[in-house]
Amino acid sequence: MEKQLDKILRRVQKPGRYSGGEWNAVRKDWQSTDVKMAFAFPDVYEVGMSHLGLQILYGMVNDREDALLERVFAPWPDMEEQLRNTGLPLTSLESRRPLRDFDIIGFTLQYELSFTNILNMLDLAGIPLRSADRAGGDYPLVVAGGPCAFNPEPIADFIDVFVIGEGEEAVNELLDAYLSARRSGEGRRDLLLRLAGCDGFYVPSLYRVEYNEQGTVHMVTPVGKNVPALVRKRVVADMDAAYFPTRMVVPAIESVHDRAMLEVQRGCTRGCRFCQAGVIYRPVREKEPQTLLRHAGELLCSTGWGEISLTSLSTSDYSRVAPLVSELIKQHGPAGVNVSLPSLRVDAFSVGLAREVQKVRRSSLTFAPEAGTQRLRDVINKGVTEDNLMEAVEAAFTAGWHSIKLYFMIGLPTETDEDLHGIANLARRVLNKGHALVRAKGRLKVTVSVSSFVPKSHTAFQWEPQNTMAELKRKQALLRDLLRGRGLVFKWHDPQSSFLEAVLSRGDRRLAPAIEAAWQNGARFDGWSEFFDLGKWQRAFESTGVDPRWYAYHRYEYNDTLPWDHISAGVSKKYLVREHRRSMEGAITPDCRNGRCPGCGLCTTLATKPYLAGGETVAPLPDTVQ
Amino acid sequence: MPRYRIQYSKRGSSCYISHLDLVRTLERAFRRAGLPIAFSEGFNPHPRFSFAAPLPVGVEGLAEVLEVELQEPVEHKDLAQRLNGTLPPGLAVLEVTSVPDNAPAPMATLTGAGYVVHIDADDLPGPLPEGAVQDFLDQERIEVTRKSKDGKEKIRDIRPGILKMEVLSQVSGLTVQLELKTGSTMNVRPEEVMEAFFRFTGMTLDKADLEIVRTRLF
Ligand code: SF4
C-alpha cells in the first residue's frame, strides 16, 4: 500500500499534505501500543496544523506509554478523487494506517461548515456514517469535540460520543475508559454506557428526542442507567499547571498559522452577547508569566520557528501582557524571533503593544468595533466607544501604520439602517484622521469588512432569528454605496454561507438526513468560498423535507426547550435570559475581570473561578438572578 | 561572513516538500541546531541560502547542493552533525566544505544532473522494442513542446541536452539512467526525455508513473 500511496501522491497538487514525516511528529510502535487514536481534522492540512488544540492533544496522548495519537486531515478534492479512483482508504499521516484500524477516531468540530467533510472522511475510511450502523461491527469509536459540540444535535446521528468542553482531562479519561472496557471484555454498548456516566461525555444514542407540533423540541430524555439529563462541560481548573505542548509538530508545508503558539490564557469575560466562545471558554484563566516564558523558550528551541504568537480570545486583556511581551522580545529578539499578537483590543494600549512587537509597520492593524453606533454596541455589550476607536487609530497612524481594517457584523438584533450609516461614518472618521496624520496619503487605506450575524447556541442571542438572505444582501448593497471613495475598501462575507451556518448552529437531530444528502450531492469544504454551493444544500433540504429557513429565521421563546438545552456550558439559562432582556434595553453588563461578578452562574455550577496572573480574583456570585 | 557548501540528500517523505517549503524547513533546522544563518538586508529579510537547482516535488535527490552563509564560522564536521540532529526524516547532510568569498553561486557553475528513472511493470505501456534507446538517441533532433511562462507553447530540441541515456534494468519494469544538461545554458527535464522516448516508440506514458531520483549534480 505504501507504494500505491506514493503513486497517488505524485498525482496531487500538494502531496506534502499527506506525506507526514514532519519535525516533532511522533511515530510509535503500532503493535505494542494498547490504544490507538486518530485525531481527525475535517479541513485541509494547512488549516488543521494551525490549530492549537491538535498540538495539545497530540503531545498529551503521545506522552502516554499505552496510547498513540496520529493525525489525519480532510483530503483536498484532488486527493479524494485519487482515493476513490484507486479504492485506497483514508490513512493517517504517521504510520499510513487506514483509519479503520484505529480504536478511536476523534474529530474536532471547529466550525459547522466542516460537517460534510466529517462524513466524507468516514466514508473514505470505509466506516458507516451513522453510529447505529456501526453498532454491530468492529468499527472505531467515533468521538467529536470542540466548540460545535455545544450544539451537537445536527450531527448526533453520526457521532458515537461527544466531548463537551475542554479536552485535556477528558481525552485521558476517554482512553482509560476504553482500556478498562476492553480489559473487562465489554461490548460497544457497555463502553458507551460507561462513557455516558463520565463528566462531560455525551452519548447521543442514549437520549430520546421528542418534538412539538409547532416544530420545536418537546423533551430530551436520557435512556439507560446513569445517563445524566444534563451534560456539563469540562473545564481545566488550573491552566497554569495544565499540559502544554512544547514540542509542537512543525508543518512540512506552509500553514495558515505557521508559527509557535503560546496560549497566554483561556476564556474571555468581556461578555459580548453574540459570542459563543466567550461563554464556552469561561471562566477566564490566565497563566503565570514565568510559566509562559519557560514554555516559550522550550517551544522555540524544539521547533525552530522564527515567530511566536500570543494566542487567546483577547490577548491584550491578559493582565501581564506588557511585561510578557517585553521579556519575550528581550530573550528571543536577538535570535531573530518575532512576537505576534493575533487580536487587538480597540484602544491605544493595544496599539502600543503592536508597536513594540512590530518594528517595521508593514501590515495593517485590525480593530473590531462590531457595530456602527453606540446604541447597537450597547445592545451587543461590546464595551468599545467611538473615543476608544479614535484613540486607537490615532495611535496607529502616529506610529506609522497607514492601513487600518475595521470589522463589523451586520444583521445584529435591533439593527436599523441608522446603524449601517454609523459604520460608514466611523470609517470616514478614521479615514479623515488618517488624512490628518499620515504623510504618504496615497497609501492610506481603511478597509471595512462585514460579516453577517449568526445566532449561536449558549449565547444571549440564541433565541434571535437571523436576518433573511435578502435583507443581508440589501444591507451589504447599502454599505457598498455608503463606502465608496478613495481610500475606502469594502469587503463582505457571502450571506449564503452565513445562512447555512445559522441553520446548522441552531439545528436539531432532524437535520441529519439533509446533511447526509448534501454530502451525497457533493458538498465538501463548505467553509471554502471556492467550493461552497448552496444549491447542493437546497436540493438536500428539499429531498429530505427540511425547511432550512425555519431553523435560521425562527424566533425561539424563552420557555421553549432549545435543541441544545441538555448540554450545559455552565452559564445558566436564567442569566442568558437576563442578558437578552438587558440587551433589548441597551443595558451593558460589566466584565467580571474587573472584580465584579455579574452572576453568570458558571463558577458555582462548575466549582471553578476566574484566575488572573496579576493576583486579583473575583468572588463569584451564587447562581441567582439579580 | 563564512560560506559553506552543503551536500545533502532529500529522500522518502521529504521529497514531497516543495522548494519554498524546503527553505523554511532548513531555516528552522538551522535554528534548532543553534547555527545562526546570515540574513539578507532589507524589508523582508530572508536567509542567505543559495541552491544549485531546486528539486521538483516528488523527486528524490541523493546529492543536492546548497550554499549557506553563517554569522560565525563553524567546523565542517560540527555543522554536519548538528544539522543532522535537527533535520526532519529524509533530509540528511552528506558533506560540508568551505567556499571562498568570491566564488560564483552554485547555480552559475552547474552544468548537468544525473537521474535514475523507474517505471513499474504494471505502468509500462508495452514492451520496449529492441535497441529503442539507441535509435532514440541516434535521431538528429528530439523535439518537445514546452509552455513558457507567458503561456505560449515553444518547440525545443532537447537532443543536445541528453548527455547519456542507458537502460539499467528491465527486471521489474524499466529503470533508466540519464545524464542531462541542467543550469542556465540548457535545462532538460527527465520526464520530458522519457515522454519523448515513449512517443518515439509509439507509446504514451503517464508522467506521474515515473519514479525519479536525482543522483548527482555536476
Ligand atoms: S460566575 Fe461570575 S466570576 Fe464566574 S465566570 Fe460567571 S460572571 Fe465571571
Side-chain angles (χ1 to χ4, degrees):
Chain A
M1 209 170 81
E2 285 272 318
K3 183 118 191 155
Q4 269 178 300
L5 194 61
D6 277 317
K7 257 185 197 167
I8 66 175
L9 287 183
R10 287 201 292 269
R11 290 175 158 80
V12 297
Q13 205 191 359
K14 287 191 177 174
R17 287 170 171 160
Y18 319 99
S19 57
E22 305 97 323
W23 182 254
N24 282 342
V26 180
R27 187 164 171 190
K28 289 192 159 182
D29 182 58
W30 186 267
Q31 292 309 333
S32 62
T33 307
D34 294 333
V35 51
K36 292 128 185 147
M37 179 167 172
F39 187 104
F41 201 103
D43 206 325
V44 74
Y45 179 89
E46 299 93 303
V47 173
M49 285 303 290
S50 309
H51 178 59
L52 179 62
L54 179 154
Q55 301 275 10
I56 294 177
L57 295 183
Y58 189 80
M60 274 188 69
V61 176
N62 284 323
D63 270 4
R64 284 174 65 131
E65 286 229 335
D66 55 356
L68 63 76
L69 185 68
E70 302 196 352
R71 293 160 300 148
V72 60
F73 300 91
W76 199 247
D78 63 343
M79 183 62 167
E80 179 186 350
E81 193 190 325
Q82 291 298 328
L83 290 173
R84 294 207 184 274
N85 286 347
T86 53
L88 282 181
L90 188 61
T91 50
S92 66
L93 261 60
E94 281 77 2
S95 58
R96 294 190 170 187
R97 294 260 173 179
L99 277 198
R100 265 205 68 163
D101 292 357
F102 286 82
D103 301 313
I104 303 171
I105 301 175
F107 281 97
T108 179
L109 308 171
Q110 295 299 313
Y111 19 82
E112 289 81 4
L113 299 187
S114 65
F115 288 170
T116 52
N117 280 3
I118 297 179
L119 300 193
N120 202 38
M121 289 168 82
L122 287 174
D123 184 65
L124 286 168
I127 296 171
L129 302 186
R130 291 180 177 257
S131 52
D133 297 331
R134 295 190 290 263
D138 185 20
Y139 293 107
L141 191 71
V142 178
V143 182
C148 300
F150 280 87
N151 178 18
E153 294 306 283
I155 52 168
D157 289 356
F158 309 116
I159 304 293
D160 298 322
V161 186
F162 288 95
V163 176
I164 312 298
E166 294 168 355
E168 278 100 337
E169 290 153 10
V171 75
N172 278 322
E173 288 167 30
L174 170 70
L175 295 169
D176 292 340
Y178 188 92
L179 285 169
S180 318
R182 185 153 72 192
R183 251 177 255 124
S184 46
E186 286 173 19
R188 201 178 177 90
R189 189 169 160 88
D190 297 322
L191 171 63
L192 290 177
L193 275 166
R194 183 191 272 269
L195 285 169
C198 304
D199 248 5
F201 287 86
Y202 170 57
V203 179
S205 58
L206 298 176
Y207 293 78
R208 195 178 60 237
V209 184
E210 290 157 277
Y211 301 93
N212 291 317
E213 264 168 39
Q214 310 89 300
T216 48
V217 171
H218 172 58
M219 216 160 64
V220 177
T221 333
V223 285
K225 240 190 11 216
N226 295 332
V227 181
L230 185 71
V231 182
R232 288 212 184 94
K233 80 171 180 195
R234 296 297 297 263
V235 172
V236 173
D238 186 352
M239 267 309 285
D240 199 58
Y243 174 85
F244 188 76
T246 51
R247 301 183 57 84
M248 291 187 188
V249 182
V250 183
I253 60 177
E254 193 180 15
S255 294
V256 179
H257 299 296
D258 207 345
R259 53 185 86 102
M261 291 174 274
L262 191 66
E263 187 184 24
V264 297
Q265 62 184 355
R266 202 170 282 174
C268 165
T269 38
R270 304 217 134 224
C272 297
R273 290 174 177 133
F274 56 82
C275 178
Q276 191 190 42
V279 175
I280 64 185
Y281 293 111
R282 270 184 188 219
V284 72
R285 286 146 293 158
E286 297 190 342
K287 292 206 197 175
E288 296 293 344
Q290 288 317 315
T291 313
L292 292 169
L293 286 169
R294 194 181 69 237
H295 287 165
E298 289 170 25
L299 189 53
L300 290 169
C301 175
S302 82
T303 60
W305 265 310
E307 184 175 346
I308 187 159
S309 165
L310 307 186
T311 69
S312 79
L313 292 168
S314 59
T315 296
S316 30
D317 283 345
Y318 172 56
S319 58
R320 310 298 299 275
V321 67
L324 176 69
V325 165
S326 25
E327 192 57 30
L328 282 172
I329 292 174
K330 200 172 109 200
Q331 290 183 9
H332 305 289
V337 173
N338 293 315
V339 177
S340 66
L341 301 162
S343 56
L344 285 189
R345 206 166 61 193
V346 189
D347 60 16
F349 170 77
S350 304
V351 176
L353 275 182
R355 198 174 146 174
E356 193 171 345
V357 302
Q358 238 180 291
K359 293 284 174 284
V360 193
R361 322 254 178 273
R362 45 187 163 187
S363 57
S364 60
L365 277 192
T366 303
F367 301 105
E370 309 286 3
T373 59
Q374 195 57 48
R375 183 200 68 79
L376 191 52
R377 285 193 295 272
D378 289 346
V379 166
I380 63 177
N381 204 41
K382 182 90 195 177
V384 169
T385 62
E386 194 155 335
D387 287 347
N388 294 147
L389 177 66
M390 295 321 289
E391 236 175 65
V393 296
E394 177 163 351
F397 287 135
T398 315
W401 274 283
H402 34 72
S403 177
I404 302 282
K405 275 192 194 146
L406 300 174
Y407 272 106
F408 294 95
M409 221 179 252
I410 57 168
L412 285 162
T414 77
E415 183 184 63
T416 66
D417 284 2
E418 208 174 300
D419 300 300
L420 303 175
H421 284 274
I423 292 179
N425 294 342
L426 268 189
R428 289 201 187 274
R429 273 199 73 187
V430 172
L431 190 68
N432 289 341
K433 185 60 101 188
H435 274 301
L437 294 172
V438 173
R439 245 177 283 143
K441 309 258 185 271
R443 291 167 71 191
L444 176 63
K445 194 166 96 183
V446 177
T447 306
V448 171
S449 176
V450 297
S451 61
S452 305
F453 165 70
V454 177
K456 294 268 165 154
S457 70
H458 303 277
T459 65
F461 289 161
Q462 60 182 351
W463 296 278
E464 288 286 333
Q466 189 180 41
N467 272 184
T468 62
M469 276 189 273
E471 177 66 353
L472 289 170
K473 279 185 190 150
R474 184 192 69 79
K475 288 178 173 175
Q476 287 178 348
L478 174 63
L479 274 175
R480 199 167 42 233
D481 281 343
L482 293 174
L483 287 166
R484 278 188 216 285
R486 208 181 142 75
L488 288 175
V489 179
F490 177 55
K491 287 190 176 156
W492 65 94
H493 199 253
D494 177 14
Q496 297 191 339
S497 69
S498 306
F499 167 69
L500 181 62
E501 197 185 325
V503 175
L504 297 174
S505 299
R506 308 218 305 162
D508 53 45
R509 290 192 184 185
R510 290 168 297 182
L511 286 186
I515 297 172
E516 192 174 338
W519 165 73
Q520 261 154 0
N521 293 345
R524 310 274 190 279
F525 288 97
D526 297 301
W528 292 71
S529 53
E530 62 209 277
F531 296 116
F532 177 69
D533 176 2
L534 190 63
K536 288 175 179 153
W537 280 91
Q538 267 157 344
R539 274 183 281 129
F541 288 125
E542 267 161 44
S543 66
T544 53
V546 171
D547 179 11
R549 284 162 309 180
W550 187 83
Y551 285 100
Y553 304 153
H554 174 78
R555 177 184 291 282
Y556 285 114
E557 301 300 328
Y558 289 149
N559 53 10
D560 280 342
T561 300
L562 302 175
W564 51 87
D565 270 353
H566 53 298
I567 306 294
S568 163
V571 171
S572 73
K573 200 170 176 185
K574 276 187 291 184
Y575 178 78
L576 293 179
V577 169
R578 193 183 110 204
E579 274 298 285
H580 185 260
R581 289 210 170 104
R582 286 174 67 82
S583 110
M584 293 301 125
E585 293 158 9
I588 54 172
T589 301
D591 186 340
C592 67
R593 198 182 252 285
N594 299 333
R596 245 197 101 233
C597 162
C600 82
L602 177 127
C603 290
T604 35
T605 309
L606 300 180
T608 172
K609 58 175 188 285
Y611 181 79
L612 304 184
E616 328 88 88
T617 46
V618 185
L621 287 177
D623 179 16
T624 48
V625 177
Q626 302 144 339
Chain B
M1 273 181 258
R3 201 168 131 192
Y4 301 93
R5 182 178 192 272
I6 298 176
Q7 201 182 58
Y8 65 98
S9 58
K10 186 170 180 268
R11 310 180 62 186
S13 57
S14 78
C15 84
Y16 298 112
I17 304 176
S18 72
H19 186 65
L20 271 180
D21 287 322
L22 177 68
V23 175
R24 268 185 280 272
T25 300
L26 287 169
E27 187 188 332
R28 290 168 189 161
F30 273 88
R31 274 184 189 283
R32 292 191 289 263
L35 295 164
I37 324 168
F39 278 81
S40 65
E41 307 281 317
F43 222 45
N44 224 336
H46 47 87
R48 288 205 181 268
F49 287 136
S50 174
F51 292 84
L55 202 56
V57 176
V59 175
E60 290 191 312
L62 300 188
E64 295 296 299
V65 170
L66 152 78
E67 283 186 14
V68 60
E69 264 180 56
L70 294 186
Q71 290 176 25
E72 51 198 51
V74 187
E75 281 213 31
H76 296 171
K77 235 178 88 190
D78 196 29
L79 201 166
Q81 264 174 6
R82 277 156 74 183
L83 208 50
N84 275 331
T86 59
L87 282 170
L91 285 169
V93 174
L94 308 173
E95 193 187 40
V96 177
T97 49
S98 280
V99 184
D101 263 355
N102 52 2
M107 204 185 295
T109 53
L110 181 74
T111 57
Y115 297 91
V116 169
V117 181
H118 175 81
I119 312 169
D120 273 350
D122 303 346
D123 302 322
L124 264 185
L128 278 192
E130 194 69 34
V133 169
Q134 200 47 56
D135 294 346
F136 174 66
L137 291 177
D138 282 347
Q139 302 176 94
E140 209 147 284
R141 291 174 65 80
I142 298 178
E143 289 186 341
V144 298
T145 42
R146 201 195 262 185
K147 264 211 182 99
S148 60
K149 277 194 187 114
D150 51 19
K152 278 194 212 123
E153 295 207 332
K154 251 176 89 183
I155 296 184
R156 289 193 330 142
D157 174 22
I158 58 167
R159 178 62 192 92
I162 307 176
L163 307 175
K164 184 175 172 190
M165 180 170 182
E166 209 177 277
V167 173
L168 289 184
S169 155
Q170 295 203 64
V171 178
S172 57
L174 173 69
T175 311
V176 175
Q177 190 186 24
L178 293 170
E179 264 173 29
L180 305 175
K181 275 198 180 163
T182 306
S184 42
T185 41
M186 182 159 203
N187 206 26
V188 178
R189 301 181 196 136
E191 67 275 15
E192 284 180 318
V193 176
M194 295 307 289
E195 210 180 19
F197 171 64
F198 275 92
R199 201 176 335 110
F200 174 73
T201 61
M203 297 185 266
T204 41
L205 167 85
D206 182 350
K207 280 191 281 190
D209 284 332
L210 297 173
E211 257 173 57
I212 305 173
V213 180
R214 185 149 82 187
T215 50
R216 66 187 189 110
L217 293 167
F218 54 87

